[in-house]
Structure formats: C-alpha cells, structure tokens
Amino acid sequence: MRIVSEGLTFTYNKKTKFAKKALDGVSLVIEEGEFFGIIGHTGSGKSTFIQHLNALIPVEEGTLKIGDRDLSASVKKSKKKKFYRELRSKVGMVFQYPEYQLFAETVYDDVAFGYKNFFPEAKKEDIDAAVYGALEMVGLSREQAGKSPFELSGGQKRRAAIAGVIVTRPEILVLDEPVAGLDPKGKRELMALLHYLHGTACKTVVIVSHDMDEVADNCTRIAVFSEGKAVMQGSPAEIFSKTEELVNLRLDVPVTAYLSERLEEVGTKIETDYSVADFTEKTIKAYGGKSL
Amino acid sequence: MYAIEFENVSFSYSGTDVNDNLTKTEEVLSDFRMKVEKGAFVALLGRNGSGKSTCAKLINGLLVPTSGKVTVLGMDTQDKKSLFEIRKKAGMVFQNPDNQQVASIVEDDVAFGPENIGMPREEMKKRIDYALKVTGTEEFRKAQASRLSGGQKQRVAIAGAIAINPEILILDESTSMLDPKGRREVMSVIRTLNREEGMTVIDITHYMDEAAEADAIYVLNEGKIAKTGTPEEVFSDAETLERCGLELPRAALIAKKLKEGGLPIDGVNLDKGGLSEKLCELFRKV
C-alpha cells in the first residue's frame, strides 16, 4: 500500500484560544516497501502526521490515501468509517514508550488483546497461532508468553508491545521513536528487529526519529518536517548533502555528513549515502586512490 | 574528603510474599567501590539492570547498602541523623520531567525544595533567582510548567534540585526522553554548573557522546565495576564495551573503521571536530 498525502492540514483545539496548527499542508508520498524516516523538531507535526495514517485523527483538510482507501476530507465520513477497522489492522501503530501500555496479566493476553479486537470471531487456535507467531517474530519464547509483562526487561517489554501490534499482520508498521530510552545494545537489537520485520511481516516501515545518525544508517528515504510542513524529502544521500538547509532548520546532521562537508572544503568529495558503512568504505577508497 | 565514597558496597533487593515472608533476594550491586572528588564530573555507564540507578539512590540515602558503606561529604548515609543533611547536599533529577513536577507554575515548582527545608524567605528568593538564571529558565518563571517543552521542563527540574544549594547533582538518565536540542540545553546547563560553580556531577546515561565529556567514567556490569578511567581509556577498551553492551561514540566508531581500512588515524577520537581535523590533514597531504 502506497501512502499519498496532499495538502494535509490539521489544527488542534480549533475555534478555541488554544488553537494550534499542527499540520500545514503536508504533501508526501511513501512508497510500498520503503523503510521511511520522518525527522524534525518536537512540535514539527511528525506525530500528528502519523496519527492520520490509521485514522486516529480524521482528515480535516486535504487528501490522504492509504493504498486504495481514501481518507480525504472530501470523502463522506460514513463511507470512511466502514473501513476504519480494516485500515487499522493494516496500518500498525507503535507509540513512544509502548511498554507503558502493557496491561494484561500475561504477555500472551496482552498480545491477544489486539488480535481479538480486530477479529472478535476468531477461534482459539487462530488466536494461538497469531499470538505465538507474533511473539516468535519479535524474539520472545513461549515460556515468556506466560509471564507477566512486568517480569520482562525493558527491551523485552518493548518487543512484547510491538508483537501486540504486528499480531494483526499490518502491511505498514509505523513507530514513533522506537529506540528511545533503550541502552546501546537494546537499540541495536531493536533496529535489527525492525529490519527483519521489514523483510518479512510488514511491507513498509515508517519510523519517527530524532537521531540523524540512526536515520542515515537505516532509512531508504526521509522526510524532514518543520512547522507542520514536509519541507524536504528524498534519499539520505539527497537530504544529508544539504547540510546548510538542515542547519537552518536548526537540525543536526549525521557525523558522516559533517565529516563529508569538512573533506569537501579541502577538495575531497565523497559520494556517499551517509551510512557509517558506506562513508568509511568510500573514504578509505578515496584515500587509497589519492595516496597511490 | 571525597564528595562521594562507596566502600565495598553491596545491595540486594528483597521481595516478600503476601504474608511478608522473604521470598527472594537479588544482588544488584556487589563489592562496589567508587571515589568521587569534589567538583568532578563522573559518568556511570552500563546496560539496563546493571545497577546504575541503584547506585544513584544509594548516594542520597533513598536506599542504604546491605553491606559496606556510602559516605557523602563525610556523612554516612546509614546515619539517620545525617540523612536530612545529605539530601540537602545531593540533589537528584530523574528521567521523566513530568514525574518530578510538584507545582503548576515554574517558580512555585522551583520554590518547593527551599520551602521544605525551611530556608529563610530572603535567602530563598535569592536562591530561586539564581537557580532560574543559571538554568536559563528565567523567562518562563511565571509560565505553567506543563506547557513547556521536554528540555525546558527538565531544566526547571534541575533548577528545583539546585535551589536548595546542593554540592552534588545526580542525573538519572535525565536526558533520555529529550530531543537532541533539549539534550544540548540540559547538558550545557550541567557543564556550567560543573565548571563554573564547582558542582560535583554524577551522570547516569546511555548516551556515549555525553559520557565522552566526563572527567571519569565508571562502567557497571552485573552490579560490579567492569572498568573505570578517563573517557579515552574506557572507549579504547573494545572488549569491555562489547561485554557491557556499550558502544563507541559515533566519531570514534567512524575513526576506528577508517583506521582498520588503512588510514593512519591515531587515538580514540571522541569528538567529530578533532576527527575532521585529522582527516582533512591526511587528505591535504596526499
């Protein structure tokens, strides 16, 4: 499913004195199969945008299509409401610190809750298959499924929360700051899990992140949000070569982009996608070529 | 006298069942030793569950050691008579800014600590003005704390902690919920307090870049000290980093890979500015 938004606009607390325009004409395309990164300051509209993707926030102004489902403002509410449930099972949403939302007595029950919500008629064996399948995908065992979520470590809790979302087999998985608060090893493992899910359970992965290095290392394409607009979009190579624009938006640049810029000032242009692996490989090549 | 001293400290959490019978004990710190000089900036690193936060709570007497001794500015945390004094001298800032806010208006929130310890009004006014000024939160002293950004809220929390004039500031993952801008704001306040006001800082963090700025790093692993030293010493020990679930700061990682690929780059290269100078120098030469 392709995500196409045009002129998406949204105001919180409309018609009150606290009115705040969170989205101001977002036009953005996310192709099926991408590992897409959304970056931008706190308050730039990132979270408001992703909440539109599974109709947690109904479209107020502008157009939004998820595959062939049209959520645009022009489409009648009654018509849209019919496919909301199906849409929400196809677009999985993992919020920030999702482990705080675990509530059931066992990990199994927590993961099953999501499934039963979407498929109330499901038989016990179908639920079992879906739940254990989801837990296996995030790397939690059958033994852990029987435990209380509070007996798990921080990283495991987050995995359990993700299992509760992928249990409906969404085609698009959207995660708001998936690695926030984890320790370095936990971060690495969770990013590896997202790449694994991207290749197996879910076609498209969309992450919201503050960490430019992480985005440079992981994403196929990026959108930069600022003041409610998607002001830049493109591949990491395209986005991070425009360091000046990013700095003007008061955003950081990945360390690789910083180093590339310095090297270019002394006459060495490194053509890279700004991931650490690619940047170091190209720099080593450039140096080898020069020193010969 | 050290600001903080841990002598062979062990600590176990014990659980009880519904009948208050002791069920299990889990040792989270064992034979932990640490000496922190006054005015030092010390980072505690380690994976989740390695004992870092327990360590923080032992410093201001929220927990007392199962065995061994914790001394803060010469006072034993197990001496109940000193506890009040210790907590005045060791302020703490936690992870989630929303959990440590007590009043709705910023300056009232900052005044909570001084009021509690019965600070005289005139001195209190001065302390609050100072705390707001040094943390850069003066401009919103009359604002509602709930309407501030995460970085601003956390700076208010620091203002609240330093309003009682502590000598030690303990940060328990205080920047982990902030965006890069908020983190920079908070760290710059911490640096000012440490360098200009001589405050002793204990920073518990998962951000390697943050730890790279400390005077000393203690790496915890399974309740024990796995390594201690300057940032250069700790980050040049690849085996410890791997074993303790840590990673190199970004610039150091890039430097290491370039070196492995044959570029003559020496040192650990904790900061990107230094690394860029070395790289440019190399490319200028050839």
Side-chain angles (χ1 to χ4, degrees):
Chain A
M1 294 193 298
R2 214 171 163 227
I3 301 169
V4 185
S5 111
E6 270 172 54
L8 197 64
T9 298
F10 183 79
T11 307
Y12 283 108
N13 301 315
K14 217 176 181 178
K15 291 176 192 162
T16 74
K17 65 171 181 170
F18 295 113
K20 190 182 179 298
K21 207 172 212 180
L23 295 183
D24 187 9
V26 174
S27 299
L28 182 63
V29 178
I30 301 175
E31 299 289 348
E32 182 171 299
E34 286 193 293
F35 199 112
F36 198 89
I38 297 180
I39 57 184
H41 277 297
T42 308
S44 60
K46 307 180 303 278
S47 297
T48 310
F49 176 74
I50 61 167
Q51 287 178 70
H52 276 82
L53 299 180
N54 70 352
L56 283 173
I57 299 178
V59 179
E60 207 177 69
E61 200 183 324
T63 64
L64 177 65
K65 285 181 190 165
I66 315 286
D68 51 14
R69 293 181 186 86
D70 195 345
L71 295 165
S72 305
S74 57
V75 180
K76 267 192 188 151
K77 255 189 197 160
S78 55
K79 197 176 165 195
K80 286 189 280 190
K81 277 200 171 150
K82 281 181 199 148
F83 61 71
Y84 273 179
R85 181 191 289 262
E86 202 195 343
L87 173 77
R88 287 176 184 147
S89 76
K90 293 290 175 201
V91 182
M93 186 77 60
V94 180
F95 293 103
Q96 266 187 57
Y97 294 90
E99 59 275 21
Y100 293 151
Q101 297 171 30
L102 297 172
F103 68 96
E105 267 179 51
T106 66
V107 172
Y108 177 96
D109 288 344
D110 213 285
V111 176
F113 179 80
Y115 192 79
K116 287 187 211 159
N117 251 339
F118 286 110
F119 308 105
E121 312 286 310
K123 290 194 199 87
K124 176 86 172 84
E125 57 260 39
D126 295 338
I127 300 172
D128 270 357
V131 171
Y132 288 123
L135 286 172
E136 196 187 325
M137 261 188 272
V138 302
L140 292 175
S141 66
R142 280 190 176 234
E143 190 205 342
Q144 282 162 324
K147 284 189 175 172
S148 157
F150 298 110
E151 285 177 65
L152 303 180
S153 75
Q156 287 169 340
K157 275 187 218 167
R158 195 163 293 185
R159 283 158 185 273
I162 292 175
V165 173
I166 61 167
V167 70
T168 62
R169 288 306 188 106
E171 284 183 38
I172 300 171
L173 184 62
V174 186
L175 306 104
D176 196 352
E177 298 241 22
V179 301
L182 296 179
D183 60 23
K185 190 155 172 275
K187 273 185 190 173
R188 282 201 296 275
E189 288 171 358
L190 196 77
M191 273 331 268
L193 170 66
L194 296 185
H195 281 290
Y196 168 71
L197 292 176
H198 182 226
T200 50
C202 314
K203 287 181 182 148
T204 312
V205 173
V206 180
I207 62 167
V208 169
S209 178
H210 283 306
D211 187 335
M212 299 295 161
D213 295 307
E214 180 185 293
V215 169
D217 261 2
N218 292 291
C219 295
T220 53
R221 258 178 12 105
I222 299 164
V224 182
F225 273 58
S226 177
E227 292 173 5
K229 292 188 175 72
V231 288
M232 296 165 82
Q233 42 188 306
S235 66
E238 288 160 356
I239 299 286
F240 293 128
S241 60
K242 294 172 189 150
T243 41
E244 214 185 306
E245 280 180 52
L246 290 169
V247 170
N248 284 341
L249 292 167
R250 289 178 298 116
L251 287 167
D252 291 332
V253 298
V255 176
T256 48
Y258 171 83
L259 294 172
S260 302
E261 204 186 5
R262 299 285 88 75
L263 282 173
E264 202 171 340
E265 286 166 5
V266 296
T268 306
K269 175 108 176 90
I270 312 273
E271 295 285 347
T272 172
D273 64 12
Y274 301 102
S275 64
V276 168
D278 188 67
F279 171 79
T280 50
E281 190 195 317
K282 301 278 170 65
T283 308
I284 291 162
K285 260 191 201 152
Y287 182 73
K290 281 211 166 192
S291 60
L292 280 174
Chain B
M1 187 170 66
Y2 290 102
I4 300 164
E5 192 175 1
F6 278 64
E7 293 168 74
N8 313 80
V9 170
S10 296
F11 182 81
S12 308
Y13 282 104
S14 48
T16 47
D17 64 17
V18 283
N19 300 317
D20 280 344
N21 296 316
L22 213 55
T23 48
K24 59 176 179 185
T25 59
E26 204 178 329
E27 191 159 71
V28 281
L29 276 186
S30 63
D31 200 23
F32 186 83
R33 295 160 215 223
M34 175 167 84
K35 284 181 177 141
V36 180
E37 301 272 359
K38 279 189 186 176
F41 185 162
V42 172
L44 293 187
L45 300 181
R47 60 164 66 91
N48 290 331
S50 61
K52 305 186 301 295
S53 293
T54 303
C55 199
K57 288 174 188 150
L58 283 163
I59 297 174
N60 70 353
L62 285 175
L63 297 173
V64 289
T66 316
S67 67
K69 189 172 159 191
V70 180
T71 338
V72 178
L73 299 161
M75 296 175 282
D76 187 339
T77 59
Q78 292 195 70
D79 177 7
K80 288 211 169 78
K81 277 179 245 136
S82 323
L83 210 50
F84 194 67
E85 198 55 29
I86 289 174
R87 291 194 183 144
K88 273 206 270 185
K89 295 292 177 200
M92 200 155 164
V93 178
F94 297 94
Q95 185 180 54
N96 189 343
D98 293 329
N99 291 349
Q100 53 200 325
Q101 180 198 318
V102 287
S104 59
I105 303 295
V106 167
E107 62 177 1
D108 296 348
D109 194 66
V110 176
F112 182 77
E115 272 176 349
N116 253 332
I117 61 167
M119 194 184 275
R121 189 173 163 77
E122 276 314 301
E123 193 193 338
M124 191 163 111
K125 273 171 90 174
K126 270 189 219 148
R127 271 315 294 181
I128 294 170
D129 286 344
Y130 162 81
L132 290 169
K133 189 164 176 240
V134 77
T135 53
T137 50
E138 250 173 338
E139 51 178 311
F140 31 81
R141 65 184 299 162
K142 301 281 183 196
Q144 272 185 29
S146 60
R147 293 198 164 258
L148 302 178
S149 75
Q152 290 166 341
K153 279 183 197 167
Q154 206 60 306
R155 272 150 58 201
V156 171
I158 294 172
I162 64 170
I164 56 167
N165 201 9
E167 289 180 37
I168 301 164
L169 189 62
I170 307 157
L171 306 160
D172 193 357
E173 292 188 36
S174 307
T175 61
S176 73
M177 295 183 99
L178 306 180
D179 65 4
K181 185 165 162 270
R183 261 177 71 204
R184 272 197 299 272
E185 289 170 6
V186 169
M187 285 318 289
S188 119
V189 167
I190 299 301
R191 265 193 300 278
T192 310
L193 288 170
N194 175 250
R195 289 186 194 155
E196 283 159 35
E197 315 284 317
M199 196 171 286
T200 309
V201 175
I202 307 288
D203 184 16
I204 296 176
T205 183
H206 285 317
Y207 288 105
M208 302 298 132
D209 296 332
E210 222 173 277
E213 291 185 34
D215 301 323
I217 295 178
Y218 282 77
V219 180
L220 274 80
N221 193 35
E222 293 171 358
K224 294 190 180 68
I225 294 174
K227 175 101 187 171
T228 150
T230 62
E232 283 76 16
E233 286 164 352
V234 170
F235 288 118
S236 55
D237 183 348
E239 188 271 332
T240 300
L241 294 179
E242 172 64 31
R243 183 164 54 89
C244 302
L246 305 177
E247 64 186 354
L248 285 171
R250 243 321 126 126
L253 174 70
I254 293 168
K256 183 169 165 261
K257 293 204 175 210
L258 291 175
K259 197 176 170 187
E260 284 164 5
L263 268 69
I265 297 172
D266 58 348
V268 200
N269 298 289
L270 295 175
D271 107 282
K272 63 181 182 182
L275 176 60
S276 80
E277 276 166 33
K278 285 184 191 170
L279 264 181
C280 290
E281 191 59 29
L282 275 181
F283 276 86
R284 261 195 223 106
K285 269 189 206 155
V286 291

